[in-house]
Amino acid sequence: MNFTLLVVVILIAIGLVALAIGIAKAIAPRSYNPQKGEAYECGIPTRGKSWMQFKVGYYLFAILFLMFDVETVFLFAWAVVVQDLGLYGLASVLFFIIILALGLAYAWKKGALEWK
C-alpha cells in the first residue's frame, strides 16, 4: 500500500499545530503577577496550605459516577434509532447492559460504592 497521502496529512497536521503554538506564543501578553500563582476559590483568600490530601474513595466514587453517566448517554443515542436496528441492535445493547452490570457488580464487591 502507498502511505504517502497519510504521511503528508500527518506532516501537515503537525505543521499546523506547531504554527498555531508559535503564533500563540508570539502574540500572547507577557506579564507575571505573583497573585496569578495563588490558589483561588470563590473569591475568598485561602488560609493555610492550599494543597490538601483527600481520600481516594472520593475520586473512585466520582469516576464511577461519570463512567455510568456517560454510558447512559450512549443508551439515549441507542433509543433514538432502536427501530432501525432491529434484533441486532437489541442484542448489542443487551450485551452493553450486561457489561455495565458486571462492572457495577465488580465495583460493589470491591467496596468502591461504600461511603466510609
Side-chain angles (χ1 to χ4, degrees), residues 81-116:
V81 294
V82 68
Q83 290 180 343
D84 298 335
L85 297 178
L87 190 58
Y88 175 74
L90 180 64
S92 297
V93 84
L94 285 177
F95 181 70
F96 182 72
I97 290 174
I98 288 170
I99 298 280
L100 281 179
L102 288 174
L104 180 62
Y106 178 78
W108 202 330
K109 183 180 179 201
K110 288 293 188 178
L113 301 176
E114 299 284 328
W115 200 262
K116 299 174 187 173

PDB file of all heavy atoms in Angstrom, residues 81-116:
ATOM      1  N   VAL A  81     -32.526   5.348  17.697  1.00  0.00           N
ATOM      2  CA  VAL A  81     -32.510   4.575  16.460  1.00  0.00           C
ATOM      3  C   VAL A  81     -32.880   3.112  16.672  1.00  0.00           C
ATOM      4  O   VAL A  81     -32.581   2.269  15.829  1.00  0.00           O
ATOM      5  CB  VAL A  81     -31.122   4.663  15.782  1.00  0.00           C
ATOM      6  CG1 VAL A  81     -30.835   6.069  15.317  1.00  0.00           C
ATOM      7  CG2 VAL A  81     -30.043   4.143  16.693  1.00  0.00           C
ATOM      8  N   VAL A  82     -33.549   2.798  17.773  1.00  0.00           N
ATOM      9  CA  VAL A  82     -33.815   1.401  18.113  1.00  0.00           C
ATOM     10  C   VAL A  82     -34.673   0.702  17.060  1.00  0.00           C
ATOM     11  O   VAL A  82     -34.464  -0.472  16.766  1.00  0.00           O
ATOM     12  CB  VAL A  82     -34.431   1.290  19.519  1.00  0.00           C
ATOM     13  CG1 VAL A  82     -35.815   1.883  19.573  1.00  0.00           C
ATOM     14  CG2 VAL A  82     -34.470  -0.151  19.979  1.00  0.00           C
ATOM     15  N   GLN A  83     -35.609   1.386  16.456  1.00  0.00           N
ATOM     16  CA  GLN A  83     -36.479   0.746  15.466  1.00  0.00           C
ATOM     17  C   GLN A  83     -35.729   0.390  14.187  1.00  0.00           C
ATOM     18  O   GLN A  83     -36.035  -0.595  13.528  1.00  0.00           O
ATOM     19  CB  GLN A  83     -37.672   1.635  15.144  1.00  0.00           C
ATOM     20  CG  GLN A  83     -38.641   1.731  16.303  1.00  0.00           C
ATOM     21  CD  GLN A  83     -39.822   2.629  15.968  1.00  0.00           C
ATOM     22  OE1 GLN A  83     -39.765   3.408  15.029  1.00  0.00           O
ATOM     23  NE2 GLN A  83     -40.885   2.511  16.749  1.00  0.00           N
ATOM     24  N   ASP A  84     -34.723   1.181  13.840  1.00  0.00           N
ATOM     25  CA  ASP A  84     -33.959   0.924  12.618  1.00  0.00           C
ATOM     26  C   ASP A  84     -32.966  -0.232  12.782  1.00  0.00           C
ATOM     27  O   ASP A  84     -32.575  -0.855  11.798  1.00  0.00           O
ATOM     28  CB  ASP A  84     -33.188   2.180  12.197  1.00  0.00           C
ATOM     29  CG  ASP A  84     -34.126   3.337  11.887  1.00  0.00           C
ATOM     30  OD1 ASP A  84     -35.288   3.067  11.531  1.00  0.00           O
ATOM     31  OD2 ASP A  84     -33.678   4.491  11.997  1.00  0.00           O
ATOM     32  N   LEU A  85     -32.552  -0.516  14.006  1.00  0.00           N
ATOM     33  CA  LEU A  85     -31.509  -1.519  14.230  1.00  0.00           C
ATOM     34  C   LEU A  85     -32.033  -2.949  14.266  1.00  0.00           C
ATOM     35  O   LEU A  85     -31.304  -3.875  13.933  1.00  0.00           O
ATOM     36  CB  LEU A  85     -30.771  -1.209  15.527  1.00  0.00           C
ATOM     37  CG  LEU A  85     -30.016   0.111  15.561  1.00  0.00           C
ATOM     38  CD1 LEU A  85     -29.382   0.317  16.923  1.00  0.00           C
ATOM     39  CD2 LEU A  85     -28.963   0.156  14.478  1.00  0.00           C
ATOM     40  N   GLY A  86     -33.254  -3.136  14.702  1.00  0.00           N
ATOM     41  CA  GLY A  86     -33.848  -4.467  14.734  1.00  0.00           C
ATOM     42  C   GLY A  86     -33.267  -5.348  15.823  1.00  0.00           C
ATOM     43  O   GLY A  86     -32.826  -4.889  16.874  1.00  0.00           O
ATOM     44  N   LEU A  87     -33.244  -6.630  15.576  1.00  0.00           N
ATOM     45  CA  LEU A  87     -32.810  -7.614  16.558  1.00  0.00           C
ATOM     46  C   LEU A  87     -31.311  -7.484  16.863  1.00  0.00           C
ATOM     47  O   LEU A  87     -30.886  -7.675  17.999  1.00  0.00           O
ATOM     48  CB  LEU A  87     -33.127  -9.023  16.051  1.00  0.00           C
ATOM     49  CG  LEU A  87     -32.964 -10.152  17.057  1.00  0.00           C
ATOM     50  CD1 LEU A  87     -33.851  -9.920  18.270  1.00  0.00           C
ATOM     51  CD2 LEU A  87     -33.284 -11.477  16.418  1.00  0.00           C
ATOM     52  N   TYR A  88     -30.519  -7.153  15.854  1.00  0.00           N
ATOM     53  CA  TYR A  88     -29.084  -6.968  16.074  1.00  0.00           C
ATOM     54  C   TYR A  88     -28.826  -5.823  17.061  1.00  0.00           C
ATOM     55  O   TYR A  88     -27.976  -5.926  17.935  1.00  0.00           O
ATOM     56  CB  TYR A  88     -28.373  -6.685  14.750  1.00  0.00           C
ATOM     57  CG  TYR A  88     -26.914  -6.371  14.911  1.00  0.00           C
ATOM     58  CD1 TYR A  88     -26.004  -7.380  15.216  1.00  0.00           C
ATOM     59  CD2 TYR A  88     -26.443  -5.076  14.779  1.00  0.00           C
ATOM     60  CE1 TYR A  88     -24.662  -7.095  15.385  1.00  0.00           C
ATOM     61  CE2 TYR A  88     -25.106  -4.779  14.944  1.00  0.00           C
ATOM     62  CZ  TYR A  88     -24.221  -5.794  15.251  1.00  0.00           C
ATOM     63  OH  TYR A  88     -22.893  -5.498  15.417  1.00  0.00           O
ATOM     64  N   GLY A  89     -29.572  -4.725  16.922  1.00  0.00           N
ATOM     65  CA  GLY A  89     -29.429  -3.593  17.836  1.00  0.00           C
ATOM     66  C   GLY A  89     -29.828  -3.959  19.250  1.00  0.00           C
ATOM     67  O   GLY A  89     -29.186  -3.545  20.212  1.00  0.00           O
ATOM     68  N   LEU A  90     -30.887  -4.753  19.385  1.00  0.00           N
ATOM     69  CA  LEU A  90     -31.330  -5.181  20.714  1.00  0.00           C
ATOM     70  C   LEU A  90     -30.273  -6.075  21.361  1.00  0.00           C
ATOM     71  O   LEU A  90     -29.948  -5.908  22.538  1.00  0.00           O
ATOM     72  CB  LEU A  90     -32.662  -5.926  20.613  1.00  0.00           C
ATOM     73  CG  LEU A  90     -33.227  -6.431  21.929  1.00  0.00           C
ATOM     74  CD1 LEU A  90     -33.557  -5.268  22.848  1.00  0.00           C
ATOM     75  CD2 LEU A  90     -34.446  -7.298  21.684  1.00  0.00           C
ATOM     76  N   ALA A  91     -29.724  -7.006  20.588  1.00  0.00           N
ATOM     77  CA  ALA A  91     -28.688  -7.887  21.130  1.00  0.00           C
ATOM     78  C   ALA A  91     -27.445  -7.093  21.528  1.00  0.00           C
ATOM     79  O   ALA A  91     -26.832  -7.355  22.572  1.00  0.00           O
ATOM     80  CB  ALA A  91     -28.325  -8.956  20.105  1.00  0.00           C
ATOM     81  N   SER A  92     -27.097  -6.108  20.736  1.00  0.00           N
ATOM     82  CA  SER A  92     -25.923  -5.285  21.043  1.00  0.00           C
ATOM     83  C   SER A  92     -26.108  -4.503  22.328  1.00  0.00           C
ATOM     84  O   SER A  92     -25.211  -4.449  23.173  1.00  0.00           O
ATOM     85  CB  SER A  92     -25.640  -4.311  19.897  1.00  0.00           C
ATOM     86  OG  SER A  92     -25.325  -5.011  18.728  1.00  0.00           O
ATOM     87  N   VAL A  93     -27.279  -3.895  22.498  1.00  0.00           N
ATOM     88  CA  VAL A  93     -27.497  -3.095  23.703  1.00  0.00           C
ATOM     89  C   VAL A  93     -27.653  -3.994  24.930  1.00  0.00           C
ATOM     90  O   VAL A  93     -27.247  -3.624  26.032  1.00  0.00           O
ATOM     91  CB  VAL A  93     -28.671  -2.115  23.535  1.00  0.00           C
ATOM     92  CG1 VAL A  93     -30.006  -2.763  23.827  1.00  0.00           C
ATOM     93  CG2 VAL A  93     -28.494  -0.914  24.440  1.00  0.00           C
ATOM     94  N   LEU A  94     -28.195  -5.192  24.759  1.00  0.00           N
ATOM     95  CA  LEU A  94     -28.262  -6.116  25.893  1.00  0.00           C
ATOM     96  C   LEU A  94     -26.858  -6.534  26.320  1.00  0.00           C
ATOM     97  O   LEU A  94     -26.566  -6.621  27.519  1.00  0.00           O
ATOM     98  CB  LEU A  94     -29.111  -7.332  25.537  1.00  0.00           C
ATOM     99  CG  LEU A  94     -30.615  -7.097  25.514  1.00  0.00           C
ATOM    100  CD1 LEU A  94     -31.345  -8.368  25.074  1.00  0.00           C
ATOM    101  CD2 LEU A  94     -31.129  -6.632  26.854  1.00  0.00           C
ATOM    102  N   PHE A  95     -25.972  -6.775  25.358  1.00  0.00           N
ATOM    103  CA  PHE A  95     -24.577  -7.076  25.675  1.00  0.00           C
ATOM    104  C   PHE A  95     -23.929  -5.906  26.411  1.00  0.00           C
ATOM    105  O   PHE A  95     -23.211  -6.090  27.393  1.00  0.00           O
ATOM    106  CB  PHE A  95     -23.817  -7.412  24.389  1.00  0.00           C
ATOM    107  CG  PHE A  95     -22.386  -7.757  24.604  1.00  0.00           C
ATOM    108  CD1 PHE A  95     -22.025  -8.944  25.214  1.00  0.00           C
ATOM    109  CD2 PHE A  95     -21.385  -6.893  24.194  1.00  0.00           C
ATOM    110  CE1 PHE A  95     -20.696  -9.267  25.420  1.00  0.00           C
ATOM    111  CE2 PHE A  95     -20.055  -7.203  24.395  1.00  0.00           C
ATOM    112  CZ  PHE A  95     -19.714  -8.398  25.009  1.00  0.00           C
ATOM    113  N   PHE A  96     -24.200  -4.689  25.947  1.00  0.00           N
ATOM    114  CA  PHE A  96     -23.674  -3.475  26.575  1.00  0.00           C
ATOM    115  C   PHE A  96     -24.162  -3.366  28.015  1.00  0.00           C
ATOM    116  O   PHE A  96     -23.382  -3.065  28.927  1.00  0.00           O
ATOM    117  CB  PHE A  96     -24.114  -2.261  25.736  1.00  0.00           C
ATOM    118  CG  PHE A  96     -23.618  -0.943  26.239  1.00  0.00           C
ATOM    119  CD1 PHE A  96     -22.282  -0.601  26.119  1.00  0.00           C
ATOM    120  CD2 PHE A  96     -24.485  -0.028  26.805  1.00  0.00           C
ATOM    121  CE1 PHE A  96     -21.823   0.630  26.562  1.00  0.00           C
ATOM    122  CE2 PHE A  96     -24.031   1.200  27.254  1.00  0.00           C
ATOM    123  CZ  PHE A  96     -22.706   1.525  27.129  1.00  0.00           C
ATOM    124  N   ILE A  97     -25.440  -3.616  28.252  1.00  0.00           N
ATOM    125  CA  ILE A  97     -26.005  -3.509  29.598  1.00  0.00           C
ATOM    126  C   ILE A  97     -25.443  -4.613  30.501  1.00  0.00           C
ATOM    127  O   ILE A  97     -25.201  -4.384  31.689  1.00  0.00           O
ATOM    128  CB  ILE A  97     -27.541  -3.531  29.537  1.00  0.00           C
ATOM    129  CG1 ILE A  97     -28.039  -2.220  28.921  1.00  0.00           C
ATOM    130  CG2 ILE A  97     -28.151  -3.726  30.915  1.00  0.00           C
ATOM    131  CD1 ILE A  97     -29.518  -2.161  28.662  1.00  0.00           C
ATOM    132  N   ILE A  98     -25.213  -5.803  29.949  1.00  0.00           N
ATOM    133  CA  ILE A  98     -24.608  -6.875  30.743  1.00  0.00           C
ATOM    134  C   ILE A  98     -23.196  -6.488  31.178  1.00  0.00           C
ATOM    135  O   ILE A  98     -22.819  -6.693  32.341  1.00  0.00           O
ATOM    136  CB  ILE A  98     -24.615  -8.200  29.951  1.00  0.00           C
ATOM    137  CG1 ILE A  98     -26.043  -8.739  29.856  1.00  0.00           C
ATOM    138  CG2 ILE A  98     -23.695  -9.226  30.581  1.00  0.00           C
ATOM    139  CD1 ILE A  98     -26.211  -9.901  28.909  1.00  0.00           C
ATOM    140  N   ILE A  99     -22.435  -5.891  30.273  1.00  0.00           N
ATOM    141  CA  ILE A  99     -21.085  -5.424  30.623  1.00  0.00           C
ATOM    142  C   ILE A  99     -21.171  -4.365  31.722  1.00  0.00           C
ATOM    143  O   ILE A  99     -20.394  -4.375  32.682  1.00  0.00           O
ATOM    144  CB  ILE A  99     -20.361  -4.851  29.381  1.00  0.00           C
ATOM    145  CG1 ILE A  99     -20.178  -5.921  28.332  1.00  0.00           C
ATOM    146  CG2 ILE A  99     -19.048  -4.201  29.751  1.00  0.00           C
ATOM    147  CD1 ILE A  99     -19.042  -6.866  28.541  1.00  0.00           C
ATOM    148  N   LEU A 100     -22.134  -3.442  31.608  1.00  0.00           N
ATOM    149  CA  LEU A 100     -22.325  -2.419  32.642  1.00  0.00           C
ATOM    150  C   LEU A 100     -22.663  -3.060  33.982  1.00  0.00           C
ATOM    151  O   LEU A 100     -22.138  -2.665  35.029  1.00  0.00           O
ATOM    152  CB  LEU A 100     -23.462  -1.470  32.256  1.00  0.00           C
ATOM    153  CG  LEU A 100     -23.169  -0.385  31.262  1.00  0.00           C
ATOM    154  CD1 LEU A 100     -24.429   0.431  31.006  1.00  0.00           C
ATOM    155  CD2 LEU A 100     -22.081   0.508  31.755  1.00  0.00           C
ATOM    156  N   ALA A 101     -23.567  -4.031  33.971  1.00  0.00           N
ATOM    157  CA  ALA A 101     -23.973  -4.694  35.208  1.00  0.00           C
ATOM    158  C   ALA A 101     -22.797  -5.430  35.843  1.00  0.00           C
ATOM    159  O   ALA A 101     -22.637  -5.411  37.071  1.00  0.00           O
ATOM    160  CB  ALA A 101     -25.127  -5.650  34.933  1.00  0.00           C
ATOM    161  N   LEU A 102     -21.973  -6.073  35.018  1.00  0.00           N
ATOM    162  CA  LEU A 102     -20.793  -6.753  35.552  1.00  0.00           C
ATOM    163  C   LEU A 102     -19.809  -5.747  36.168  1.00  0.00           C
ATOM    164  O   LEU A 102     -19.225  -6.012  37.224  1.00  0.00           O
ATOM    165  CB  LEU A 102     -20.110  -7.565  34.458  1.00  0.00           C
ATOM    166  CG  LEU A 102     -20.852  -8.825  34.003  1.00  0.00           C
ATOM    167  CD1 LEU A 102     -20.135  -9.459  32.818  1.00  0.00           C
ATOM    168  CD2 LEU A 102     -20.983  -9.812  35.141  1.00  0.00           C
ATOM    169  N   GLY A 103     -19.634  -4.613  35.523  1.00  0.00           N
ATOM    170  CA  GLY A 103     -18.767  -3.571  36.082  1.00  0.00           C
ATOM    171  C   GLY A 103     -19.302  -3.026  37.389  1.00  0.00           C
ATOM    172  O   GLY A 103     -18.544  -2.801  38.343  1.00  0.00           O
ATOM    173  N   LEU A 104     -20.605  -2.833  37.460  1.00  0.00           N
ATOM    174  CA  LEU A 104     -21.218  -2.355  38.700  1.00  0.00           C
ATOM    175  C   LEU A 104     -21.078  -3.394  39.801  1.00  0.00           C
ATOM    176  O   LEU A 104     -20.758  -3.065  40.948  1.00  0.00           O
ATOM    177  CB  LEU A 104     -22.692  -2.017  38.459  1.00  0.00           C
ATOM    178  CG  LEU A 104     -23.470  -1.505  39.664  1.00  0.00           C
ATOM    179  CD1 LEU A 104     -22.867  -0.205  40.172  1.00  0.00           C
ATOM    180  CD2 LEU A 104     -24.930  -1.324  39.314  1.00  0.00           C
ATOM    181  N   ALA A 105     -21.307  -4.656  39.469  1.00  0.00           N
ATOM    182  CA  ALA A 105     -21.162  -5.725  40.464  1.00  0.00           C
ATOM    183  C   ALA A 105     -19.725  -5.808  40.971  1.00  0.00           C
ATOM    184  O   ALA A 105     -19.489  -5.994  42.173  1.00  0.00           O
ATOM    185  CB  ALA A 105     -21.602  -7.059  39.854  1.00  0.00           C
ATOM    186  N   TYR A 106     -18.764  -5.656  40.080  1.00  0.00           N
ATOM    187  CA  TYR A 106     -17.355  -5.688  40.473  1.00  0.00           C
ATOM    188  C   TYR A 106     -17.041  -4.530  41.419  1.00  0.00           C
ATOM    189  O   TYR A 106     -16.383  -4.714  42.449  1.00  0.00           O
ATOM    190  CB  TYR A 106     -16.463  -5.638  39.234  1.00  0.00           C
ATOM    191  CG  TYR A 106     -14.993  -5.619  39.554  1.00  0.00           C
ATOM    192  CD1 TYR A 106     -14.338  -6.783  39.911  1.00  0.00           C
ATOM    193  CD2 TYR A 106     -14.266  -4.435  39.493  1.00  0.00           C
ATOM    194  CE1 TYR A 106     -12.991  -6.772  40.222  1.00  0.00           C
ATOM    195  CE2 TYR A 106     -12.925  -4.412  39.795  1.00  0.00           C
ATOM    196  CZ  TYR A 106     -12.281  -5.578  40.164  1.00  0.00           C
ATOM    197  OH  TYR A 106     -10.963  -5.555  40.474  1.00  0.00           O
ATOM    198  N   ALA A 107     -17.494  -3.318  41.058  1.00  0.00           N
ATOM    199  CA  ALA A 107     -17.244  -2.158  41.918  1.00  0.00           C
ATOM    200  C   ALA A 107     -17.919  -2.332  43.269  1.00  0.00           C
ATOM    201  O   ALA A 107     -17.356  -1.966  44.311  1.00  0.00           O
ATOM    202  CB  ALA A 107     -17.745  -0.884  41.225  1.00  0.00           C
ATOM    203  N   TRP A 108     -19.100  -2.881  43.273  1.00  0.00           N
ATOM    204  CA  TRP A 108     -19.835  -3.110  44.510  1.00  0.00           C
ATOM    205  C   TRP A 108     -19.097  -4.124  45.387  1.00  0.00           C
ATOM    206  O   TRP A 108     -18.952  -3.947  46.590  1.00  0.00           O
ATOM    207  CB  TRP A 108     -21.221  -3.615  44.187  1.00  0.00           C
ATOM    208  CG  TRP A 108     -22.250  -3.424  45.252  1.00  0.00           C
ATOM    209  CD1 TRP A 108     -22.053  -3.397  46.599  1.00  0.00           C
ATOM    210  CD2 TRP A 108     -23.632  -3.223  45.061  1.00  0.00           C
ATOM    211  NE1 TRP A 108     -23.226  -3.207  47.253  1.00  0.00           N
ATOM    212  CE2 TRP A 108     -24.218  -3.099  46.328  1.00  0.00           C
ATOM    213  CE3 TRP A 108     -24.439  -3.164  43.941  1.00  0.00           C
ATOM    214  CZ2 TRP A 108     -25.582  -2.912  46.503  1.00  0.00           C
ATOM    215  CZ3 TRP A 108     -25.790  -2.970  44.124  1.00  0.00           C
ATOM    216  CH2 TRP A 108     -26.347  -2.835  45.386  1.00  0.00           C
ATOM    217  N   LYS A 109     -18.628  -5.212  44.764  1.00  0.00           N
ATOM    218  CA  LYS A 109     -17.920  -6.261  45.504  1.00  0.00           C
ATOM    219  C   LYS A 109     -16.612  -5.737  46.091  1.00  0.00           C
ATOM    220  O   LYS A 109     -16.234  -6.096  47.199  1.00  0.00           O
ATOM    221  CB  LYS A 109     -17.646  -7.447  44.592  1.00  0.00           C
ATOM    222  CG  LYS A 109     -16.991  -8.602  45.302  1.00  0.00           C
ATOM    223  CD  LYS A 109     -16.736  -9.760  44.373  1.00  0.00           C
ATOM    224  CE  LYS A 109     -16.043 -10.875  45.150  1.00  0.00           C
ATOM    225  NZ  LYS A 109     -15.357 -11.784  44.290  1.00  0.00           N
ATOM    226  N   LYS A 110     -15.918  -4.885  45.339  1.00  0.00           N
ATOM    227  CA  LYS A 110     -14.655  -4.326  45.816  1.00  0.00           C
ATOM    228  C   LYS A 110     -14.855  -3.238  46.871  1.00  0.00           C
ATOM    229  O   LYS A 110     -13.895  -2.776  47.464  1.00  0.00           O
ATOM    230  CB  LYS A 110     -13.850  -3.748  44.645  1.00  0.00           C
ATOM    231  CG  LYS A 110     -13.257  -4.792  43.751  1.00  0.00           C
ATOM    232  CD  LYS A 110     -12.193  -5.551  44.494  1.00  0.00           C
ATOM    233  CE  LYS A 110     -11.451  -6.479  43.574  1.00  0.00           C
ATOM    234  NZ  LYS A 110     -10.394  -7.188  44.270  1.00  0.00           N
ATOM    235  N   GLY A 111     -16.103  -2.793  47.078  1.00  0.00           N
ATOM    236  CA  GLY A 111     -16.378  -1.778  48.099  1.00  0.00           C
ATOM    237  C   GLY A 111     -16.182  -0.357  47.604  1.00  0.00           C
ATOM    238  O   GLY A 111     -16.073   0.558  48.410  1.00  0.00           O
ATOM    239  N   ALA A 112     -16.128  -0.160  46.292  1.00  0.00           N
ATOM    240  CA  ALA A 112     -15.930   1.182  45.763  1.00  0.00           C
ATOM    241  C   ALA A 112     -17.148   2.065  45.971  1.00  0.00           C
ATOM    242  O   ALA A 112     -17.044   3.279  45.906  1.00  0.00           O
ATOM    243  CB  ALA A 112     -15.590   1.118  44.271  1.00  0.00           C
ATOM    244  N   LEU A 113     -18.296   1.481  46.213  1.00  0.00           N
ATOM    245  CA  LEU A 113     -19.524   2.257  46.413  1.00  0.00           C
ATOM    246  C   LEU A 113     -19.817   2.504  47.891  1.00  0.00           C
ATOM    247  O   LEU A 113     -20.813   3.133  48.217  1.00  0.00           O
ATOM    248  CB  LEU A 113     -20.705   1.543  45.747  1.00  0.00           C
ATOM    249  CG  LEU A 113     -20.554   1.312  44.247  1.00  0.00           C
ATOM    250  CD1 LEU A 113     -21.733   0.520  43.722  1.00  0.00           C
ATOM    251  CD2 LEU A 113     -20.416   2.615  43.517  1.00  0.00           C
ATOM    252  N   GLU A 114     -18.943   2.013  48.761  1.00  0.00           N
ATOM    253  CA  GLU A 114     -19.131   2.239  50.205  1.00  0.00           C
ATOM    254  C   GLU A 114     -18.653   3.635  50.561  1.00  0.00           C
ATOM    255  O   GLU A 114     -17.577   4.060  50.156  1.00  0.00           O
ATOM    256  CB  GLU A 114     -18.315   1.215  51.003  1.00  0.00           C
ATOM    257  CG  GLU A 114     -18.718  -0.219  50.749  1.00  0.00           C
ATOM    258  CD  GLU A 114     -20.006  -0.601  51.444  1.00  0.00           C
ATOM    259  OE1 GLU A 114     -20.265  -0.050  52.528  1.00  0.00           O
ATOM    260  OE2 GLU A 114     -20.729  -1.428  50.884  1.00  0.00           O
ATOM    261  N   TRP A 115     -19.434   4.343  51.323  1.00  0.00           N
ATOM    262  CA  TRP A 115     -19.072   5.683  51.749  1.00  0.00           C
ATOM    263  C   TRP A 115     -18.644   5.598  53.212  1.00  0.00           C
ATOM    264  O   TRP A 115     -19.458   5.611  54.109  1.00  0.00           O
ATOM    265  CB  TRP A 115     -20.256   6.629  51.590  1.00  0.00           C
ATOM    266  CG  TRP A 115     -19.864   8.045  51.541  1.00  0.00           C
ATOM    267  CD1 TRP A 115     -19.874   8.940  52.555  1.00  0.00           C
ATOM    268  CD2 TRP A 115     -19.350   8.766  50.425  1.00  0.00           C
ATOM    269  NE1 TRP A 115     -19.411  10.153  52.150  1.00  0.00           N
ATOM    270  CE2 TRP A 115     -19.088  10.078  50.833  1.00  0.00           C
ATOM    271  CE3 TRP A 115     -19.091   8.406  49.112  1.00  0.00           C
ATOM    272  CZ2 TRP A 115     -18.581  11.031  49.983  1.00  0.00           C
ATOM    273  CZ3 TRP A 115     -18.581   9.367  48.265  1.00  0.00           C
ATOM    274  CH2 TRP A 115     -18.340  10.670  48.699  1.00  0.00           C
ATOM    275  N   LYS A 116     -17.337   5.476  53.433  1.00  0.00           N
ATOM    276  CA  LYS A 116     -16.810   5.272  54.801  1.00  0.00           C
ATOM    277  C   LYS A 116     -16.328   6.557  55.397  1.00  0.00           C
ATOM    278  O   LYS A 116     -15.720   7.359  54.823  1.00  0.00           O
ATOM    279  CB  LYS A 116     -15.681   4.256  54.775  1.00  0.00           C
ATOM    280  CG  LYS A 116     -16.137   2.907  54.270  1.00  0.00           C
ATOM    281  CD  LYS A 116     -14.951   1.983  54.131  1.00  0.00           C
ATOM    282  CE  LYS A 116     -15.375   0.702  53.459  1.00  0.00           C
ATOM    283  NZ  LYS A 116     -14.301  -0.180  53.139  1.00  0.00           N
TER     284      LYS A 116
END
